[in-house]
Amino acid sequence: MAKLVLSRSGVLVREIPLTKETTIIGRRDDNDIALDDTSISGQHVQLVKADNKYIAEDLKSTNGTVINSQKMDRKVLENDDVIVIGKHELRFVTETEMGGQPSDFEQTVVIRSKASVDKATPTTNTPPTQAPTKAPATGNTPPAHLSTLAMQPPQQNRPAPHPAQSDPTPTGGSVLVKALIAVAGVLVLVVVAYLYRKMGH
């Protein structure tokens, strides 16, 4: 089914399927397509279907009908023809173009929705997370214990501690003891000598 895509001053208004043999367009409310525009006549133009084709006929309007930028009284419409009356544009779309394809109105809605979603949703440039790379094993890889030893700092050669040595220097206590022993020895000798003399006499 053919249709008209209606826009006003470049703004898309609606889509109108052509379901009748004759479709009258004008300012009057009883028209098939009524347009509120003082530059449009009461009955401005009509579309007549004949042999699966649509013919646009001007109804002796005051300002005339422009089709594809040319003022015409009558024209067999082809796909994508644009009819201009007053401030309104009606683009004629045939069944061939509509087959399985979204209309301009649907495309406009989709584009606006997508644009609004893209605007509302901020994007962040997050760099992709990369898994850490593992170095391939080679035949010259040292054993784990050697690797551990290699990581430890080298130890300095420290001299072994010497065993404790006795101090040859006598202390004050040992001198006193030796002196007492010597005195005691002398006293013993004196006592022995005294006893010996007394027994001898």
Side-chain angles (χ1 to χ4, degrees), residues 12 23 39 48 52 67 88 101 125 136 140-141 144 160 168 177 185 189:
L12 186 64
T23 302
S39 61
V48 180
N52 292 327
I67 303 176
H88 292 76
Q101 298 296 329
N125 297 327
N140 297 326
T141 304
V177 171
L189 292 176

Side-chain angles (χ1 to χ4, degrees), residues 17-197:
L18 300 176
T19 59
K20 302 175 64 175
E21 297 295 325
T22 301
T23 302
I24 299 177
I25 306 170
R27 195 175 70 252
R28 285 169 41 175
D29 292 337
D30 58 352
N31 291 324
D32 298 305
I33 301 175
L35 302 176
D36 185 13
D37 189 341
T38 56
S39 61
I40 297 176
S41 299
Q43 289 185 327
H44 198 104
V45 65
Q46 67 179 5
L47 304 183
V48 180
K49 184 178 182 181
D51 297 330
N52 292 327
K53 294 183 180 180
Y54 285 86
I55 303 171
E57 297 178 347
D58 183 77
L59 299 176
K60 297 181 181 181
S61 62
T62 301
N63 296 320
T65 300
V66 177
I67 303 176
N68 298 335
S69 302
Q70 295 183 6
K71 197 170 184 178
M72 296 183 181
D73 294 332
R74 187 177 188 275
K75 183 183 186 300
V76 177
L77 296 178
E78 298 178 0
N79 182 57
D80 221 25
D81 280 350
V82 178
I83 304 170
V84 179
I85 54 175
K87 298 179 181 179
H88 292 76
E89 295 181 357
L90 299 105
R91 187 168 72 90
F92 178 73
V93 181
T94 61
E95 297 177 358
T96 304
E97 182 181 348
M98 294 188 302
Q101 298 296 329
S103 62
D104 290 347
F105 180 77
E106 292 171 343
Q107 290 177 352
T108 303
V109 172
V110 171
I111 291 172
R112 289 180 179 175
S113 298
K114 185 177 185 300
S116 60
V117 170
D118 293 341
K119 184 177 179 180
T121 305
T123 57
T124 55
N125 297 327
T126 305
T129 305
Q130 297 182 354
T133 57
K134 187 176 181 180
T138 60
N140 297 326
T141 304
H145 66 281
L146 294 181
S147 301
T148 304
L149 293 176
M151 294 174 63
Q152 297 179 355
Q155 299 181 355
Q156 298 180 356
N157 296 327
R158 298 178 180 178
H162 295 287
Q165 296 180 358
S166 59
D167 190 356
T169 304
T171 61
S174 60
V175 173
L176 180 60
V177 171
K178 290 181 179 181
L180 292 176
I181 294 174
V183 171
V186 172
L187 291 177
V188 170
L189 292 176
V190 171
V191 171
V192 171
Y194 173 75
L195 295 175
Y196 178 76
R197 287 179 182 180

